[in-house]
Structures are given as C-alpha cells and as structure tokens.
Amino acid sequence: LKSKFECIGDVRGEGLFLGIEIIGNEKSPNTVLAQEIKNSLREKNILLSTDGPFDNVIKTKPPLVFNKENVDLVVLALECFFSQKSAK
C-alpha cells in the first residue's frame, strides 16, 4: 500500500504488530486523516488505534487467532479507504 498511496509515510514493526505513519503535504504528520482511517475501519468492525507524538501512526495489534483471511480483509479495507480518499 505504501507504494500506491502518498499519505503513507513509513511502515514499521514486527510480525503483525505494525505502525503505519500517515502523512500529509510536505511529509508532515496528518493526525486528522489518521483519525478518519481509524473511525472508518471501526464502522467495518475493524479495530485499529493511533499512536505516536502526533497521533498519526495507525497501529495494528491483532489477537493471536488472526489469520491470513483477516489480514486480507484489513488490507482491503485500508486500500478501499485510501482509494476513495484519493478519488476526491
């Protein structure tokens, strides 16, 4: 997703415990967009959180029973969100 959408700054983490940095113009933190992502996915029953000094890092911390189907669902939901945002 990072290569497709400019609002993703950095992706870091280990395993499925990931942080996705959300940035705006001039690579500045985009707290508002991070909150929109979190709330939009919550409406789809996908729980993510935000963290970081600017609250612009989307955090995933899935349960141990998380499987590939669940990963695909989250990635698809994120991709749909970013595609809709970039189409506006």
Side-chain angles (χ1 to χ4, degrees):
L1 292 176
K2 182 179 176 180
S3 63
K4 290 176 70 173
F5 301 104
E6 292 180 4
C7 62
I8 299 176
D10 191 21
V11 179
R12 54 194 174 271
E14 187 113 3
L16 293 175
F17 187 74
L18 297 174
I20 304 165
E21 180 187 30
I22 305 300
I23 58 173
N25 297 337
E26 301 176 16
K27 310 286 185 209
S28 60
N30 193 335
T31 302
V32 173
L33 182 58
Q35 296 301 318
E36 286 180 34
I37 294 166
K38 180 175 70 173
N39 293 332
S40 175
L41 269 65
R42 181 178 295 137
E43 291 173 7
K44 296 173 176 27
N45 298 315
I46 298 172
L47 300 178
L48 302 173
S49 61
T50 53
D51 204 347
F54 302 102
D55 210 31
N56 70 312
V57 178
I58 300 291
K59 279 195 336 188
T60 66
K61 18 179 201 188
L64 290 174
V65 296
F66 211 68
N67 60 33
K68 179 162 179 2
E69 183 179 303
N70 301 133
V71 171
D72 292 342
L73 180 70
V74 172
V75 171
L76 179 63
L78 285 168
E79 186 169 20
C80 287
F81 176 88
F82 290 130
S83 294
Q84 288 174 352
K85 271 299 198 186
S86 62
K88 290 182 180 180

PDB file of all heavy atoms in Angstrom, residues 1-20:
ATOM      1  N   LEU A   1       0.813  -1.196   0.000  1.00  0.00           N
ATOM      2  CA  LEU A   1       0.000   0.000   0.000  1.00  0.00           C
ATOM      3  C   LEU A   1       0.861   1.267   0.000  1.00  0.00           C
ATOM      4  O   LEU A   1       0.463   2.262  -0.574  1.00  0.00           O
ATOM      5  CB  LEU A   1      -0.930   0.008   1.211  1.00  0.00           C
ATOM      6  CG  LEU A   1      -2.037  -1.033   1.253  1.00  0.00           C
ATOM      7  CD1 LEU A   1      -2.817  -0.958   2.558  1.00  0.00           C
ATOM      8  CD2 LEU A   1      -2.968  -0.889   0.076  1.00  0.00           C
ATOM      9  N   LYS A   2       2.014   1.183   0.639  1.00  0.00           N
ATOM     10  CA  LYS A   2       2.878   2.355   0.729  1.00  0.00           C
ATOM     11  C   LYS A   2       3.282   2.852  -0.651  1.00  0.00           C
ATOM     12  O   LYS A   2       3.342   4.056  -0.890  1.00  0.00           O
ATOM     13  CB  LYS A   2       4.118   2.049   1.569  1.00  0.00           C
ATOM     14  CG  LYS A   2       5.025   3.237   1.727  1.00  0.00           C
ATOM     15  CD  LYS A   2       6.229   2.930   2.567  1.00  0.00           C
ATOM     16  CE  LYS A   2       7.127   4.149   2.582  1.00  0.00           C
ATOM     17  NZ  LYS A   2       8.309   3.979   3.354  1.00  0.00           N
ATOM     18  N   SER A   3       3.530   1.942  -1.574  1.00  0.00           N
ATOM     19  CA  SER A   3       3.955   2.356  -2.913  1.00  0.00           C
ATOM     20  C   SER A   3       2.798   2.946  -3.726  1.00  0.00           C
ATOM     21  O   SER A   3       3.021   3.649  -4.703  1.00  0.00           O
ATOM     22  CB  SER A   3       4.575   1.176  -3.663  1.00  0.00           C
ATOM     23  OG  SER A   3       3.619   0.153  -3.845  1.00  0.00           O
ATOM     24  N   LYS A   4       1.560   2.693  -3.316  1.00  0.00           N
ATOM     25  CA  LYS A   4       0.392   3.186  -4.049  1.00  0.00           C
ATOM     26  C   LYS A   4      -0.152   4.505  -3.533  1.00  0.00           C
ATOM     27  O   LYS A   4      -0.783   5.253  -4.279  1.00  0.00           O
ATOM     28  CB  LYS A   4      -0.734   2.144  -3.999  1.00  0.00           C
ATOM     29  CG  LYS A   4      -0.472   0.905  -4.807  1.00  0.00           C
ATOM     30  CD  LYS A   4      -1.564  -0.121  -4.641  1.00  0.00           C
ATOM     31  CE  LYS A   4      -2.840   0.325  -5.300  1.00  0.00           C
ATOM     32  NZ  LYS A   4      -3.876  -0.732  -5.292  1.00  0.00           N
ATOM     33  N   PHE A   5       0.061   4.797  -2.255  1.00  0.00           N
ATOM     34  CA  PHE A   5      -0.587   5.956  -1.644  1.00  0.00           C
ATOM     35  C   PHE A   5       0.436   6.847  -0.942  1.00  0.00           C
ATOM     36  O   PHE A   5       1.128   6.407  -0.030  1.00  0.00           O
ATOM     37  CB  PHE A   5      -1.673   5.498  -0.658  1.00  0.00           C
ATOM     38  CG  PHE A   5      -2.728   4.649  -1.306  1.00  0.00           C
ATOM     39  CD1 PHE A   5      -2.732   3.283  -1.119  1.00  0.00           C
ATOM     40  CD2 PHE A   5      -3.686   5.218  -2.124  1.00  0.00           C
ATOM     41  CE1 PHE A   5      -3.689   2.482  -1.725  1.00  0.00           C
ATOM     42  CE2 PHE A   5      -4.648   4.437  -2.736  1.00  0.00           C
ATOM     43  CZ  PHE A   5      -4.648   3.068  -2.541  1.00  0.00           C
ATOM     44  N   GLU A   6       0.493   8.109  -1.370  1.00  0.00           N
ATOM     45  CA  GLU A   6       1.488   9.053  -0.846  1.00  0.00           C
ATOM     46  C   GLU A   6       1.274   9.422   0.614  1.00  0.00           C
ATOM     47  O   GLU A   6       2.188   9.911   1.267  1.00  0.00           O
ATOM     48  CB  GLU A   6       1.483  10.328  -1.691  1.00  0.00           C
ATOM     49  CG  GLU A   6       1.994  10.108  -3.094  1.00  0.00           C
ATOM     50  CD  GLU A   6       1.988  11.389  -3.915  1.00  0.00           C
ATOM     51  OE1 GLU A   6       1.654  12.454  -3.365  1.00  0.00           O
ATOM     52  OE2 GLU A   6       2.312  11.313  -5.103  1.00  0.00           O
ATOM     53  N   CYS A   7       0.073   9.182   1.133  1.00  0.00           N
ATOM     54  CA  CYS A   7      -0.190   9.565   2.526  1.00  0.00           C
ATOM     55  C   CYS A   7       0.411   8.571   3.521  1.00  0.00           C
ATOM     56  O   CYS A   7       0.381   8.812   4.721  1.00  0.00           O
ATOM     57  CB  CYS A   7      -1.683   9.723   2.766  1.00  0.00           C
ATOM     58  SG  CYS A   7      -2.627   8.218   2.526  1.00  0.00           S
ATOM     59  N   ILE A   8       0.970   7.462   3.028  1.00  0.00           N
ATOM     60  CA  ILE A   8       1.642   6.509   3.919  1.00  0.00           C
ATOM     61  C   ILE A   8       3.118   6.856   3.924  1.00  0.00           C
ATOM     62  O   ILE A   8       3.798   6.750   2.901  1.00  0.00           O
ATOM     63  CB  ILE A   8       1.419   5.054   3.465  1.00  0.00           C
ATOM     64  CG1 ILE A   8      -0.073   4.716   3.492  1.00  0.00           C
ATOM     65  CG2 ILE A   8       2.205   4.093   4.354  1.00  0.00           C
ATOM     66  CD1 ILE A   8      -0.402   3.335   2.983  1.00  0.00           C
ATOM     67  N   GLY A   9       3.606   7.292   5.085  1.00  0.00           N
ATOM     68  CA  GLY A   9       4.996   7.711   5.195  1.00  0.00           C
ATOM     69  C   GLY A   9       5.934   6.543   5.435  1.00  0.00           C
ATOM     70  O   GLY A   9       6.746   6.184   4.608  1.00  0.00           O
ATOM     71  N   ASP A  10       5.791   5.929   6.571  1.00  0.00           N
ATOM     72  CA  ASP A  10       6.687   4.839   6.953  1.00  0.00           C
ATOM     73  C   ASP A  10       5.841   3.704   7.515  1.00  0.00           C
ATOM     74  O   ASP A  10       4.797   3.946   8.120  1.00  0.00           O
ATOM     75  CB  ASP A  10       7.675   5.341   8.013  1.00  0.00           C
ATOM     76  CG  ASP A  10       8.803   4.362   8.285  1.00  0.00           C
ATOM     77  OD1 ASP A  10       9.068   3.499   7.424  1.00  0.00           O
ATOM     78  OD2 ASP A  10       9.424   4.458   9.360  1.00  0.00           O
ATOM     79  N   VAL A  11       6.288   2.502   7.275  1.00  0.00           N
ATOM     80  CA  VAL A  11       5.638   1.326   7.857  1.00  0.00           C
ATOM     81  C   VAL A  11       6.715   0.579   8.609  1.00  0.00           C
ATOM     82  O   VAL A  11       7.753   0.240   8.057  1.00  0.00           O
ATOM     83  CB  VAL A  11       5.021   0.417   6.764  1.00  0.00           C
ATOM     84  CG1 VAL A  11       4.383  -0.815   7.387  1.00  0.00           C
ATOM     85  CG2 VAL A  11       3.998   1.187   5.937  1.00  0.00           C
ATOM     86  N   ARG A  12       6.472   0.348   9.891  1.00  0.00           N
ATOM     87  CA  ARG A  12       7.494  -0.338  10.690  1.00  0.00           C
ATOM     88  C   ARG A  12       6.811  -1.240  11.713  1.00  0.00           C
ATOM     89  O   ARG A  12       5.638  -1.076  12.028  1.00  0.00           O
ATOM     90  CB  ARG A  12       8.405   0.669  11.374  1.00  0.00           C
ATOM     91  CG  ARG A  12       7.687   1.701  12.197  1.00  0.00           C
ATOM     92  CD  ARG A  12       8.614   2.867  12.570  1.00  0.00           C
ATOM     93  NE  ARG A  12       7.895   3.911  13.246  1.00  0.00           N
ATOM     94  CZ  ARG A  12       7.283   4.923  12.646  1.00  0.00           C
ATOM     95  NH1 ARG A  12       7.299   5.022  11.344  1.00  0.00           N
ATOM     96  NH2 ARG A  12       6.663   5.843  13.346  1.00  0.00           N
ATOM     97  N   GLY A  13       7.568  -2.191  12.180  1.00  0.00           N
ATOM     98  CA  GLY A  13       7.036  -3.106  13.175  1.00  0.00           C
ATOM     99  C   GLY A  13       7.623  -4.484  13.007  1.00  0.00           C
ATOM    100  O   GLY A  13       8.568  -4.699  12.252  1.00  0.00           O
ATOM    101  N   GLU A  14       7.022  -5.413  13.696  1.00  0.00           N
ATOM    102  CA  GLU A  14       7.491  -6.797  13.688  1.00  0.00           C
ATOM    103  C   GLU A  14       6.270  -7.706  13.616  1.00  0.00           C
ATOM    104  O   GLU A  14       5.319  -7.547  14.380  1.00  0.00           O
ATOM    105  CB  GLU A  14       8.270  -7.056  14.980  1.00  0.00           C
ATOM    106  CG  GLU A  14       8.948  -8.382  15.006  1.00  0.00           C
ATOM    107  CD  GLU A  14      10.454  -8.247  14.989  1.00  0.00           C
ATOM    108  OE1 GLU A  14      10.982  -7.131  15.022  1.00  0.00           O
ATOM    109  OE2 GLU A  14      11.089  -9.290  14.948  1.00  0.00           O
ATOM    110  N   GLY A  15       6.301  -8.642  12.676  1.00  0.00           N
ATOM    111  CA  GLY A  15       5.170  -9.553  12.528  1.00  0.00           C
ATOM    112  C   GLY A  15       3.918  -8.791  12.152  1.00  0.00           C
ATOM    113  O   GLY A  15       3.926  -7.969  11.248  1.00  0.00           O
ATOM    114  N   LEU A  16       2.842  -9.025  12.881  1.00  0.00           N
ATOM    115  CA  LEU A  16       1.589  -8.317  12.616  1.00  0.00           C
ATOM    116  C   LEU A  16       1.418  -7.081  13.496  1.00  0.00           C
ATOM    117  O   LEU A  16       0.431  -6.362  13.379  1.00  0.00           O
ATOM    118  CB  LEU A  16       0.398  -9.258  12.814  1.00  0.00           C
ATOM    119  CG  LEU A  16       0.293 -10.398  11.814  1.00  0.00           C
ATOM    120  CD1 LEU A  16      -0.864 -11.329  12.180  1.00  0.00           C
ATOM    121  CD2 LEU A  16       0.109  -9.866  10.402  1.00  0.00           C
ATOM    122  N   PHE A  17       2.366  -6.831  14.377  1.00  0.00           N
ATOM    123  CA  PHE A  17       2.333  -5.625  15.208  1.00  0.00           C
ATOM    124  C   PHE A  17       3.008  -4.521  14.405  1.00  0.00           C
ATOM    125  O   PHE A  17       4.239  -4.429  14.364  1.00  0.00           O
ATOM    126  CB  PHE A  17       3.047  -5.862  16.540  1.00  0.00           C
ATOM    127  CG  PHE A  17       2.897  -4.723  17.504  1.00  0.00           C
ATOM    128  CD1 PHE A  17       1.695  -4.510  18.164  1.00  0.00           C
ATOM    129  CD2 PHE A  17       3.945  -3.868  17.745  1.00  0.00           C
ATOM    130  CE1 PHE A  17       1.545  -3.454  19.052  1.00  0.00           C
ATOM    131  CE2 PHE A  17       3.815  -2.806  18.632  1.00  0.00           C
ATOM    132  CZ  PHE A  17       2.603  -2.601  19.285  1.00  0.00           C
ATOM    133  N   LEU A  18       2.194  -3.718  13.707  1.00  0.00           N
ATOM    134  CA  LEU A  18       2.725  -2.739  12.770  1.00  0.00           C
ATOM    135  C   LEU A  18       2.294  -1.331  13.109  1.00  0.00           C
ATOM    136  O   LEU A  18       1.230  -1.117  13.696  1.00  0.00           O
ATOM    137  CB  LEU A  18       2.230  -3.050  11.352  1.00  0.00           C
ATOM    138  CG  LEU A  18       2.648  -4.374  10.745  1.00  0.00           C
ATOM    139  CD1 LEU A  18       1.940  -4.570   9.410  1.00  0.00           C
ATOM    140  CD2 LEU A  18       4.146  -4.417  10.563  1.00  0.00           C
ATOM    141  N   GLY A  19       3.098  -0.371  12.667  1.00  0.00           N
ATOM    142  CA  GLY A  19       2.754   1.041  12.725  1.00  0.00           C
ATOM    143  C   GLY A  19       2.802   1.598  11.318  1.00  0.00           C
ATOM    144  O   GLY A  19       3.776   1.396  10.590  1.00  0.00           O
ATOM    145  N   ILE A  20       1.737   2.274  10.912  1.00  0.00           N
ATOM    146  CA  ILE A  20       1.653   2.867   9.583  1.00  0.00           C
ATOM    147  C   ILE A  20       1.559   4.375   9.769  1.00  0.00           C
ATOM    148  O   ILE A  20       0.540   4.888  10.242  1.00  0.00           O
ATOM    149  CB  ILE A  20       0.416   2.338   8.823  1.00  0.00           C
ATOM    150  CG1 ILE A  20       0.442   0.817   8.760  1.00  0.00           C
ATOM    151  CG2 ILE A  20       0.322   2.965   7.435  1.00  0.00           C
ATOM    152  CD1 ILE A  20      -0.886   0.196   8.355  1.00  0.00           C
TER     153      ILE A  20
END
